[in-house]
Amino acid sequence: SSGINAEYGGNFVRFGNNCYVGKRCIIKDCVVIDEGAVLRDDMVLPPFTRWGGSPATLIEELPESMAYVLSEDSMDQYDKFVPIGPSAPGGWGSAVRKISVVKRMGSLGAATGAAP
């Protein structure tokens, strides 16, 4: 549950829990933002850096090999993602589809003389 108001977010950015990203922040590729970090408005976070604290400060520069680690982490998170809402499997959309199928079956049964 983080608040993100960034102007731009790069690829392979890892946000910790309870972060806040101020307005018009620019976050470049391969950045790690630690748990509880508060990024002030208009900050620019260069690539391959790690930030933390309140207000956030640079903790360390990351090696370029971190791009691979963050991309693998992104793929793991994507694989674990469970969508919610109308278009999700088992979400609101499936309930609507089930109702429409039942209605069609009922009307089909009435047309053929079969019991609904």
Side-chain angles (χ1 to χ4, degrees):
S1 65
S2 297
I4 301 171
N5 298 310
E7 181 77 22
Y8 172 80
N11 294 315
F12 310 124
V13 176
R14 183 188 299 167
F15 291 93
N17 291 328
N18 301 317
C19 294
Y20 176 78
V21 178
K23 296 175 185 169
R24 300 174 304 276
C25 283
I26 297 174
I27 304 169
K28 301 288 185 156
D29 296 341
C30 301
V31 172
V32 176
I33 302 170
D34 287 347
E35 183 172 342
V38 177
L39 301 174
R40 297 182 312 262
D41 294 349
D42 301 312
M43 286 184 76
V44 177
L45 282 60
F48 300 102
T49 54
R50 180 175 162 213
W51 296 79
S54 178
T57 57
L58 177 65
I59 294 175
E60 66 179 325
E61 292 187 19
L62 303 171
E64 289 189 24
S65 61
M66 194 66 175
Y68 177 76
V69 172
L70 291 172
S71 69
E72 287 294 308
D73 185 49
S74 294
M75 292 306 294
D76 289 343
Q77 292 296 323
Y78 180 81
D79 290 341
K80 295 175 188 173
F81 179 73
V82 178
I84 59 172
S87 61
W92 304 317
S94 65
V96 171
R97 284 189 294 277
K98 287 178 185 173
I99 291 169
S100 64
V101 167
V102 169
K103 284 184 177 179
R104 278 187 299 210
M105 289 175 60
S107 63
L108 180 63
T112 60

